[in-house]
Amino acid sequence: GYRVPAPDEGSGAAVAQHAGRRVLWLFSIVFATVLLVVIAVEWLGLIDPITDQIPLPVGVGLVILIGYPVLRQVVLAGLKGRVISHTLMAVGAAAALFVGEWPTAVVVVFFMRLGEYAERFTVDSARKSVKSLTEMAPRTARVERGGVEREIPASEVRPGEVVVVRPGELIAVDGTVIGGVATIDQAAITGEGMPVEAGEGASVYAATVATLGALRIRAEAVGKDTTFGRVIRMVEDAEAHRGHIQRMADRFSSYYLPVVIVIAIFVYLLRQDVMATIAVLVVACSCAFALATPVAILASVGAAARKGLLVKGGKYLELLDKATVLLIDKTGTLTQGRPVITDLASTSGATEEEILHLAASAEMFSEHPLAAAVRLYAAERGVAPSEPEAFEALPGLGVRATVRGRMVSVGSRRLSGRPVSDGSLDRLAGEGKTVLFVEADGALLGVLAASDKEREDAVSALASLRQRGFEAIEMLTGDSEAVAAKIADKMALSYRAHLLPEDKVQVVRSYQSTGATVVMIGDGVNDAPALAQADVGIAMGARGSDVAVEVANIAIMGDDWMLVPELFRMTSRTMRVVRTNIGFTAIYNLAGLTLAAFGILPPILAAAAQSFPDVGIMANSARLLRQ
């Protein structure tokens, strides 16, 4: 009677993508249906007999009720001396009300509301990012007090106390190891793809995992003062202080509206004709301006969702179009995000197949990420391991096992216990690779080298992105200089290494301080503050954490780097359509404005004429659905 959910059913990324597509299609259907019905009813003259029976005060009340949230924005923007695209629509709606055309005003404010809501439909889900980060924080810690281990809330640990961490547990504090050895997955904080062996004197971070081995840690920072606590604060900071983004329609309106007002004043002063003046305002401030941007954005966002690109608001498409700096995380974004075996060398007469067979057999029961890499490499080479008769994991060192009567060990140079003088080993270590020594019955047979391998599709995608003309493209990583240099060289990128989450944020801010529009691409918890700080944060959702997907403004749900240049291409096409829509509407309205100014177009016909550019905008924007 139990039901087994699909593997991705609980994924925040998958849920966001599915919900996003459903909402997008719903908006598209509602938007198109309402607009077509309004246009048809207006053309056929069916609306006048109905609206004539409704008193004007009721119509005014409907306009205020439907448009209150957006009209409030217009008022607040006006108090700050700003003109936004909705200001233009509000003036048109007010002019329509002045001559009794409240149905026209209702249509204007309805599309204002629908366009606004369409662009905000995923923003609320993105605000869950801080909550998700908080849920990742360790809840409890095991502390030595009075010679006894006590499990207490992590927030009650005091600096200087000794915290005990057992295999598989989250580390609850930032501190220094004073006893024990363990393999730690620090990717959530530093972004390092390879596990770290921590022994006495090593520094460790809260919210990282001791995958193998036990530790005694002297607490140095707890709660909000830990590195992870600072990550949460930085995400909160970045989201709370996002600057006002002046949209293309806002910029156009700030120039267009004063021109319209001046023309209306001149018409009134020269002709002393109130109706002609109102007609100018009605025709010049039509709802077509309310549709010019959101319809194109909505069509593009819908097309993007079908390709696995979840865009959380049209303003991010506008920012992408003018992006000048591209910053990219390394681990899990430009690389596979997990260790893979890259080299196998024999230092004795043993064959590579024999060395690999013994190594994979010894690692059969190990949970270490490097053990998984050895087993995968053996499978790819067609080497079948044998089940060991005995097995022992040695945290921080490697494994020992009995394989077909032979005592086999696989691990670090410290496990081998013998000095090895070999230029090739020094070369591998110099490239930032982890070297595993394979011994049998006390004799060194050979070595395996592992590293986090670059993604081939990223190389092609970056070549395409360079053609766009970014002022700077940089790789940011918490990995070592040697590892970063190796990947950056293959990707032909400049880079910065040894970066903690706050360092990445500082890099973003330093570019923004020069006026650059910054795009950040990442996938992990450690990237979340930089994703939130950037003008546009893009999460590689298929491989990345749910936190990164929620914090980012755009999530790439497919595991394909070529979707990144495709996203930029779609953005360019979308903004061309938006500019065309605005230009067409402006020319059409200026023509109508001229006719209205000379009394040729009365207010009623001016209101009716508003439907014509709507059809053109819908048709032009519909092209984006086929991207």
Side-chain angles (χ1 to χ4, degrees), residues 532-598:
Q533 178 64 44
D535 297 286
V536 182
I538 301 176
M540 301 296 285
R543 292 171 177 260
S545 67
D546 285 356
V547 170
V549 172
E550 289 172 357
V551 169
N553 313 119
I554 299 173
I556 298 176
M557 312 314 299
D559 189 19
D560 182 1
W561 243 97
M562 293 309 295
L563 286 172
V564 177
E566 176 60 21
L567 172 63
F568 279 93
R569 281 193 291 270
M570 290 183 72
T571 295
S572 297
R573 288 194 292 267
T574 301
M575 298 320 297
R576 281 198 298 271
V577 168
V578 169
R579 293 184 189 100
T580 303
N581 284 349
I582 291 177
F584 166 72
T585 304
I587 292 170
Y588 180 90
N589 285 358
L590 286 172
L593 185 153
T594 303
L595 295 175
F598 286 98

Side-chain angles (χ1 to χ4, degrees), residues 132-145:
S132 299
L133 278 170
T134 305
E135 289 173 350
M136 292 179 62
R139 301 288 186 206
T140 62
R142 194 176 290 105
V143 180
E144 292 182 356
R145 287 183 178 175

Side-chain angles (χ1 to χ4, degrees), residues 17-223:
Q17 182 188 21
H18 181 61
R21 287 178 175 173
R22 284 193 305 174
V23 175
L24 279 167
W25 278 111
L26 178 62
F27 268 120
S28 300
I29 293 169
V30 171
F31 203 96
T33 301
V34 172
L35 181 61
L36 291 174
V37 167
V38 169
I39 291 173
V41 168
E42 188 172 319
W43 276 353
L44 295 173
L46 301 177
I47 198 170
D48 292 340
I50 300 173
T51 56
D52 288 345
Q53 304 301 315
I54 299 176
L56 181 60
V58 175
V60 173
L62 281 173
V63 172
I64 295 173
L65 181 66
I66 294 172
Y68 174 75
V70 182
L71 295 174
R72 182 172 177 272
Q73 286 181 26
V74 171
V75 173
L76 292 176
L79 292 175
K80 295 177 182 177
R82 288 194 292 113
V83 174
I84 60 177
S85 58
H86 290 149
T87 306
L88 200 59
M89 306 308 104
V91 170
L97 286 176
F98 189 82
V99 295
E101 286 294 318
W102 67 263
T104 299
V106 167
V107 171
V108 171
V109 296
F110 173 77
F111 282 117
M112 287 165 65
R113 285 293 307 279
L114 193 59
E116 176 80 3
Y117 193 56
E119 294 203 13
R120 291 175 57 90
F121 78 94
T122 56
V123 172
D124 289 342
S125 65
R127 297 290 78 82
K128 295 187 299 184
S129 53
V130 174
K131 181 182 176 184
S132 299
L133 278 170
T134 305
E135 289 173 350
M136 292 179 62
R139 301 288 186 206
T140 62
R142 194 176 290 105
V143 180
E144 292 182 356
R145 287 183 178 175
V148 179
E149 287 185 14
R150 302 170 184 263
E151 189 167 330
I152 63 173
S155 59
E156 295 181 10
V157 178
R158 297 188 294 269
E161 288 192 303
V162 175
V163 176
V164 178
V165 180
R166 297 203 173 109
E169 292 183 343
L170 280 173
I171 297 173
V173 298
D174 283 5
T176 302
V177 177
I178 60 173
V181 178
T183 301
I184 302 178
D185 179 358
Q186 294 190 150
I189 299 298
T190 66
E192 290 178 278
M194 302 292 287
V196 176
E197 309 298 340
E200 192 168 339
S203 296
V204 294
Y205 303 100
T208 58
V209 184
T211 56
L212 293 171
L215 296 172
R216 294 176 69 245
I217 303 166
R218 180 185 296 108
E220 294 171 355
V222 299

Side-chain angles (χ1 to χ4, degrees), residues 381-508:
R381 295 278 295 264
V383 176
S386 303
E387 185 172 326
E389 293 93 57
F391 171 80
E392 180 185 11
L394 305 170
L397 298 174
V399 298
R400 284 199 185 102
T402 302
V403 180
R404 293 184 176 179
R406 303 179 71 180
M407 181 60 67
V408 179
S409 66
V410 182
S412 66
R413 191 188 296 260
R414 286 192 299 143
L415 177 62
S416 174
R418 68 180 76 216
V420 179
S421 179
D422 190 320
S424 61
L425 296 184
D426 294 335
R427 176 185 60 80
L428 293 173
E431 292 176 354
K433 296 181 179 180
T434 300
V435 180
L436 300 176
F437 294 80
V438 182
E439 294 185 351
D441 299 325
L444 180 64
L445 301 183
V447 296
L448 295 164
S451 70
D452 188 5
K453 194 175 182 182
E454 71 278 1
R455 295 184 55 173
E456 294 298 331
D457 57 345
V459 178
S460 303
L462 285 170
S464 177
L465 287 169
R466 284 191 188 91
Q467 296 175 6
R468 190 181 173 278
F470 285 101
E471 293 175 9
I473 302 179
E474 271 197 275
M475 182 184 79
L476 309 181
T477 179
D479 256 326
S480 66
E481 188 79 19
V483 173
K486 174 175 169 286
I487 297 297
D489 183 58
K490 291 188 177 181
M491 299 284 180
L493 291 172
S494 59
Y495 69 92
R496 305 190 197 198
H498 294 296
L499 300 181
L500 288 175
E502 54 259 48
D503 300 322
K504 293 182 180 180
V505 170
Q506 287 305 317
V507 173
V508 174

Side-chain angles (χ1 to χ4, degrees), residues 187-371:
I189 299 298
T190 66
E192 290 178 278
M194 302 292 287
V196 176
E197 309 298 340
E200 192 168 339
S203 296
V204 294
Y205 303 100
T208 58
V209 184
T211 56
L212 293 171
L215 296 172
R216 294 176 69 245
I217 303 166
R218 180 185 296 108
E220 294 171 355
V222 299
K224 294 182 178 180
D225 296 325
T226 63
T227 302
F228 186 73
R230 294 199 300 274
V231 167
I232 294 175
R233 281 207 308 279
M234 284 185 289
V235 172
E236 290 175 329
D237 240 10
E239 293 194 336
H241 296 93
R242 289 186 191 273
H244 168 71
I245 299 170
Q246 190 178 32
R247 309 294 304 279
M248 181 186 298
D250 295 346
R251 293 193 300 273
F252 177 83
S253 298
S254 65
Y255 294 107
Y256 181 75
L257 183 58
V259 171
V260 171
I261 298 296
V262 169
I263 292 174
I265 292 173
F266 268 105
V267 168
Y268 179 74
L269 292 176
L270 293 175
R271 302 193 61 210
Q272 297 293 310
D273 188 339
V274 174
M275 296 305 287
T277 304
I278 296 301
V280 165
L281 293 174
V282 170
V283 76
C285 301
S286 71
C287 62
F289 278 113
L291 302 177
T293 300
V295 172
I297 294 292
L298 192 63
S300 188
V301 170
R306 290 199 303 274
K307 294 186 177 185
L309 297 164
L310 185 61
V311 182
K312 301 179 182 179
K315 60 186 175 185
Y316 303 116
L317 293 180
E318 293 190 32
L319 285 169
L320 272 182
D321 189 51
K322 60 178 185 178
T324 54
V325 173
L326 180 62
L327 304 177
I328 312 170
D329 168 57
K330 180 187 77 69
T331 305
T333 305
L334 290 173
T335 66
Q336 308 257 349
R338 54 181 172 78
V340 294
I341 301 300
T342 57
D343 301 86
L344 190 164
S346 174
T347 57
S348 64
T351 64
E352 291 186 355
E353 286 71 19
E354 179 185 1
I355 295 169
L356 189 53
H357 171 264
L358 291 174
S361 301
E363 297 279 21
M364 180 175 285
F365 299 135
S366 175
E367 298 176 353
H368 199 286
L370 288 171

